[in-house]
């Protein structure tokens, strides 16, 4: 899962917004860890559930920061936008990853890429549409 | 570390790094601390009302609450703002917009009233709140080096306290914090919010050895933690067997709680042995957990009988401004330092001289 995230990172251009959707334990955070590694981020990526989102400096020519957000605690996705996430959306030098991102869909003006995570026995399945 | 030679010092602490809006006034007289007021506006009651989710975002609540909370802290302490000698405010780590509310308010107060201001690391607050019990600075010196386990919903770290102001992070969670694990497991089990206290209460009537749950990372020699594996173990079990009912839910809660506690205690004891510390401390919301407090004390008495055990009163474990004010006492504050105080949401403890603005 980490390697998948890393590979994903190679394809990024900047400005992407990923909405990760899937149950607890389906691999959303691990995937994000891999993505961060692929962007040259050395810092340990920990769960942003309590703090709502964290900003990491990326070390690639085009992408300067990774925002790791989490709507798990929120009733309405809009709340995380008001909490400051909106500042980072649509910036060419920034990639945004939102866990429990389905809560954000109706409030987002920007284009986004949904990723669906599923647990099946001991496998994790990611679907990109 | 600068000691202010003054008869009486009044410090106003402000904390808005995540959910709570908090302000407190402490007094230091003859090296002893006295808590004059401790005001915390918690979002827990809002969470409960809306079934475990935050209806209004953290930052907006801070904006509405900060001035009334500061006012209440001053009036409960029977202190006028003009008499405050120092203001201490959390400037990181945390959520940027939440932090900004506290910091900008503190800067304004500092500027308007000419009160020296110091920016505090939230985790340092959790560590130094333990000084409340110790209070004399002579004793403080003999307590170090110390090891502090900071464990909450947002943080799980082991910090070596070489002396007040000199910190080194020696271990942390690689994914979920321990408090977060409690909350998410509670959700999987269909229990309410906040998960930690509910699991802890049910665990009192449960048998911790009834369910076999993993103790992640125990076999690794380092001092890092990982709790997401425990979360997924619980998830798999429930998916396969359904939620435990009746007495079994108590046993399950006891087993989960013990799995978390075993990992926390084992790593803490090993770290204490390796770094030959004089004191073991705790801080953070999970440090209020009755079993954790009891069992860590017991293990210490057994394995490290010459090591002191220092834990805060349960009311100072979760986020509060008293701890920020206490940390503010040990910091150097300049009168016009308010201009240089910047929010730092990623501020790591020990990253640079934490008690210097």
């Amino acid at each position: 899962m980490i390697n998948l995230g890393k590979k994903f990172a190679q394809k990024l251009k900047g400005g992407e917004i990923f909405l990760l959707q899937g149950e607890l334990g389906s691999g959303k955070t691990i995937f994000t860890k891999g993505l961060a590694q692929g962007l040259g981020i050395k810092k340990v990526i920990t769960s942003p559930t309590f703090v709502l989102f964290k900003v990491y400096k990326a070390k690639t020519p085009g992408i300067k920061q990774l925002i790791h957000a989490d709507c798990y605690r929120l009733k309405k996705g809009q709340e995380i936008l008001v909490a400051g996430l909106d500042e980072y959306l649509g910036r060419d030098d920034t990639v945004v990853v939102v866990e429990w991102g389905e809560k954000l869909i109706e409030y987002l003006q920007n284009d986004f890429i949904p990723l669906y995570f599923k647990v099946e026995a001991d496998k994790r399945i990611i679907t990109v549409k | 570390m600068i000691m202010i030679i003054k008869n009486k010092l009044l410090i106003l602490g402000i904390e808005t790094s995540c959910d709570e809006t908090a302000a407190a006034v402490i007094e230091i007289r003859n090296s002893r601390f006295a808590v004059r007021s401790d005001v915390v506006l918690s979002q827990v009651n809002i969470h409960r009302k809306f079934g475990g989710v935050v209806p209004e975002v953290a930052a907006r609540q801070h904006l509405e609450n900060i001035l009334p909370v500061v006012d209440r802290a001053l009036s409960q302490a029977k202190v006028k703002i003009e008499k405050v000698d120092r203001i201490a405010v959390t400037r990181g780590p945390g959520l940027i917009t939440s932090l900004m509310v506290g910091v900008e308010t503190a800067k304004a107060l500092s500027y308007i009233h000419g009160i020296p201001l110091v920016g505090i690391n939230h985790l340092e607050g959790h560590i130094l709140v333990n000084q409340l019990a110790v209070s004399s600075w002579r004793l403080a010196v003999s307590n170090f080096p110390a090891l502090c386990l900071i464990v909450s919903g947002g943080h799980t770290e082991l910090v070596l306290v070489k002396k007040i102001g000199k910190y080194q992070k020696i271990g942390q969670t690689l994914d979920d914090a321990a408090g977060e694990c409690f909350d998410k497991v509670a959700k999987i089990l269909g229990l309410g919010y906040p998960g930690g206290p509910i699991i802890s209460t049910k665990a009192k009537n449960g048998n911790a050895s009834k369910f076999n749950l993993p103790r992640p990372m125990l076999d690794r020699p380092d001092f890092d933690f990982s709790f997401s594996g425990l979360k997924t173990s619980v998830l798999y079990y429930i998916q396969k067997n359904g939620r435990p009912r009746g007495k079994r839910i108590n046993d399950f809660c006891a087993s989960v709680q013990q799995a978390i506690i075993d990992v926390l205690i084992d790593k803490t004891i090993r770290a204490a042995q390796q770094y030959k510390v004089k004191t073991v401390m705790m801080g953070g919301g999970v440090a209020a957990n009755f079993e954790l407090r009891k069992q860590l004390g017991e293990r210490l008495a057994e394995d490290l009988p010459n090591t002191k055990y220092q834990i805060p009163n349960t009311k100072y474990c979760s986020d509060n401004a008293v701890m920020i004010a206490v940390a503010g006492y040990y910091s150097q504050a300049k009168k016009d330092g308010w201009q240089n105080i910047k929010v730092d949401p990623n501020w790591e403890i020990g990253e640079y001289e934490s008690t210097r603005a």
Side-chain angles (χ1 to χ4, degrees):
Chain A
M1 181 65 86
I2 287 215
N3 288 326
L4 188 61
K6 260 192 202 164
K7 287 206 184 109
F8 233 80
Q10 322 293 4
K11 305 259 163 72
L12 300 179
K13 296 192 171 41
E16 290 92 345
I17 299 169
F18 293 101
L19 301 188
L20 308 190
Q21 302 169 48
E23 280 312 304
L24 279 170
S26 56
K28 303 183 290 296
T29 308
I30 290 260
F31 173 81
T32 310
K33 275 179 185 272
L35 200 113
Q37 279 183 30
L39 293 176
I41 297 168
K42 299 269 181 278
K43 236 177 168 198
V44 177
I45 303 294
T46 55
S47 169
T49 296
F50 265 72
V51 79
L52 299 189
F53 66 85
K54 294 188 192 184
V55 179
Y56 298 93
K57 284 199 174 66
K59 300 201 170 57
T60 75
I63 298 166
K64 294 287 167 246
Q65 19 180 42
L66 169 70
I67 314 301
H68 183 193
D70 189 339
C71 293
Y72 175 81
R73 298 173 71 210
L74 305 179
K75 195 166 182 144
K76 291 192 280 196
Q78 181 183 39
E79 298 159 41
I80 204 170
L81 296 176
V82 177
L85 189 65
D86 59 348
E87 291 239 354
Y88 299 95
L89 300 175
R91 287 172 60 151
D92 291 334
D93 62 354
T94 302
V95 171
V96 178
V97 173
V98 187
E99 296 193 32
W100 301 90
E102 61 272 23
K103 295 190 190 178
L104 204 50
I105 293 175
E106 59 178 300
Y107 303 102
L108 264 192
Q109 314 280 18
N110 319 71
D111 287 337
F112 59 87
I113 302 158
L115 296 178
Y116 305 89
F117 289 71
K118 198 164 165 222
V119 186
E120 220 159 84
D122 57 353
K123 284 205 288 262
R124 299 290 189 288
I125 301 171
I126 308 183
T127 314
V128 192
K129 290 209 182 128
Chain B
M1 187 178 90
I2 303 285
M3 289 306 303
I4 307 288
I5 313 299
K6 205 190 156 171
N7 263 341
K8 185 172 97 168
L9 204 65
L10 283 169
I11 304 183
L12 168 67
I14 293 174
E15 150 67 41
T16 61
S17 65
C18 194
D19 289 353
E20 327 305 12
T21 310
V25 175
I26 66 170
E27 177 185 314
I28 299 89
R29 196 202 292 253
N30 302 323
S31 298
R32 301 207 76 82
F33 290 106
V35 177
R36 297 277 295 265
S37 65
D38 172 23
V39 179
V40 181
L41 202 62
S42 169
Q43 299 208 4
V44 173
N45 288 328
I46 303 174
H47 291 179
R48 247 190 228 123
K49 192 173 155 201
F50 286 85
V53 285
V54 181
E56 295 258 3
V57 76
R60 198 189 297 159
Q61 288 292 79
H62 289 307
L63 256 172
E64 289 168 1
N65 298 326
I66 186 66
L67 291 176
V69 163
V70 169
D71 276 345
R72 200 190 297 189
L74 291 168
S75 68
Q76 276 183 10
K78 295 191 173 57
V79 164
K80 285 198 157 61
I81 182 74
E82 295 85 1
K83 294 292 186 192
V84 168
D85 297 297
R86 190 179 304 175
I87 301 176
V89 65
T90 309
R91 68 177 190 87
L95 181 63
I96 185 165
T97 40
S98 297
L99 288 165
M100 279 175 68
V101 174
V103 167
E104 293 305 311
T105 303
K107 281 161 82 167
L109 290 172
S110 169
Y111 170 63
I112 291 167
H113 300 286
I115 304 171
L117 174 64
V118 62
I120 301 295
N121 183 302
H122 178 83
L123 299 174
E124 185 178 20
H126 279 307
I127 295 171
L128 292 184
V129 79
N130 286 294
Q131 292 302 111
L132 276 180
V134 176
S135 57
S136 151
W137 97 264
R138 271 187 303 112
L139 277 181
V141 168
S142 69
N143 284 343
F144 300 100
L147 179 72
C148 190
L149 172 67
I150 302 171
V151 57
S152 66
H155 304 282
T156 296
E157 294 190 18
L158 269 171
V159 178
L160 181 65
V161 185
K162 298 176 187 179
K163 62 175 190 176
I164 294 178
K166 273 209 145 40
Y167 309 102
Q168 182 190 339
K169 180 168 72 172
I170 59 166
Q172 66 164 87
T173 182
L174 302 180
D175 40 58
D176 298 353
E180 180 183 350
C181 183
F182 271 114
D183 278 354
K184 288 184 169 168
V185 164
K187 175 129 194 258
I188 295 169
L189 296 176
L191 305 173
Y193 182 92
I198 293 175
I199 289 181
S200 186
T201 302
K202 290 199 184 291
K204 283 195 185 119
N205 300 316
N207 183 339
S209 48
K210 282 280 188 180
F211 291 91
N212 193 9
L213 292 167
R215 272 81 173 136
M217 309 275 286
L218 267 195
D219 52 351
R220 277 173 53 155
D222 61 30
F223 302 113
D224 288 331
F225 304 87
S226 165
F227 290 103
S228 67
L230 179 57
K231 174 183 71 185
T232 33
S233 295
V234 170
L235 186 73
Y236 289 163
Y237 178 87
I238 304 302
Q239 281 178 345
K240 208 165 139 199
N241 304 296
R243 286 174 180 167
R245 294 183 199 286
K247 191 180 181 294
R248 283 172 70 73
I249 189 83
N250 296 337
D251 293 334
F252 202 89
C253 287
S255 302
V256 169
Q257 178 175 255
Q258 197 55 50
I260 297 173
I261 286 176
D262 279 353
V263 173
L264 292 172
I265 290 180
D266 208 84
K267 297 262 184 181
T268 302
I269 297 287
R270 271 201 304 113
Q273 286 166 332
Q274 179 165 317
Y275 288 90
K276 300 184 172 44
V277 298
K278 295 198 181 145
T279 310
V280 165
M281 306 194 284
M282 281 208 290
V286 179
N289 181 292
F290 177 82
E291 279 301 316
L292 175 59
R293 289 162 80 92
K294 174 168 155 257
Q295 290 182 32
L296 180 54
E298 287 167 353
R299 273 289 297 277
L300 267 173
E302 230 174 83
D303 296 354
L304 292 162
N306 296 321
T307 305
K308 294 193 187 87
Y309 184 42
Q310 191 64 59
I311 49 176
N313 185 304
T314 51
K315 65 181 165 178
Y316 300 128
C317 288
S318 49
D319 291 351
N320 63 85
V322 169
M323 69 188 197
I324 302 304
V326 171
Y329 171 66
Y330 293 101
S331 300
Q332 197 173 6
K334 294 187 212 117
K335 197 159 181 186
D336 50 6
W338 64 266
Q339 295 170 81
N340 301 319
I341 305 285
K342 282 191 178 61
V343 161
D344 187 352
N346 295 339
W347 191 5
E348 299 255 4
I349 187 112
E351 194 169 16
Y352 38 85
E353 285 287 310
S354 48
T355 54
R356 307 291 176 256

